[in-house]
Amino acid sequence: MKKYDFDTLVDRRGSGDVKHAAMQQTYGRDDLIGLWVADMDFATPDFIVDAIRERLQHPVLGYTVEPEDFRPAIVDWIASHHQWEVKPEWLSYIPGIVKGIGLVVNCFLEKGDKVIIQPPVYHPFRLIPENNGYEVVFNPLIEQKDGTYAMDFEQLERICDESCKLFILSNPHNPAGLVWDKDTLRKLARFCHAHNILVISDEIHSDMTLYGHKHIPFASVCPEAAEISITFGAPSKTFNIPGVVSSYAVVSDEELREKFFGWLEASELAAPGLFPPIATIAAYRNGEEWRRQMLEYVQGNVDYVADFCSAHLNGIKALRPQASFLVWLDCRGLKLSHDELVDLFVNKARLALNDGEMFGPGGQGFMRLNVALPRQVLAEALERLKAVL
Ligand SMILES: Cc1ncc(COP(=O)(O)O)c(C=O)c1O
């Protein structure tokens, strides 16, 4: 069996990647170790690059039809990994998941409608509806003793009114890396069904569960969930191809599907470009072994961080993610103000992490650390933190 290499340093500077090219503008300096933007510093797997390269052998990059195996590859992957039987006609390409949120907002909402999200959560969940003129209502998660979070259903009853028409679920939940259990998802589905609320279930991190956790697709938990939901998925995070833009929507309910897919098709938004289907098929048909080895390496990095924090970083606790390569660092024990905390990471330790505040209420005092990188760089980052503490 091929052993993949996650230890080799890949110099991304000069490739225009956001993590490095936007560092100066975001942090005011560009001499930091980049541990923020959620893509990996590992090389994109060879079987994907080879598939794209093979297509490049042809001298014409003209208009193309969707390859025959595009939908079957997605259907088979979801069935074998998440035991959810999706029909090919339930699928549509979308030009990105964040853009997909904007598309749903514009297709389904009307003036005065509101959107519910559960912070601390991936910041575009707030920004996209707000930028499109819709009010966002918070149902903050409840922090548990062990550092994980739970949904607050009593609070959800209180904050929800008849203007709330869309709920955006992060499943698994970014930034804390939570896998939601079936009972919670079912309870949420019944609540939203009863209140006539459409649910976007963003499942981009679903193929990266760690420590034996199992992802449960929202739409699969009960008939009510299937009736009210649009699921977003992609091979982009798992296989490190977010620049290819290979996302898709799954809608099992016929009425919802006709409305959303019809709206997408009216503007040809559901037509993939040349490379996304090629990358998706290569990832889903050939990627299982790479995915397994990558997750083993990432889990090793998570353990490394958690152990290092308890041994050397007094005041910082790492929450081991149940899914994803993002570690939610609880830095409240340092007793620093927000500005002092950012200054410590950026100007003293020279590390670029995502500041927890950007994820909304509950994110204060936290930092989000991306551990999808060679361990020696991660070790260097942690040593820098130790030195300044
Ligand atoms: C929960 C979640 N959704 C969506 C995205 C981005 O998806 P896309 O690149 O398809 O817009 C990310 C990237 O970090 C994410 O964490």
Side-chain angles (χ1 to χ4, degrees), residues 38 96-99 122 125 170 174 202 204-205 236-237 242 247:
I97 289 183
V98 173
K99 293 181 190 78
Y122 183 53
F125 284 20
S170 189
N174 174 7
D202 176 349
I204 196 168
H205 294 281
S236 57
K237 291 274 151 187
S247 326

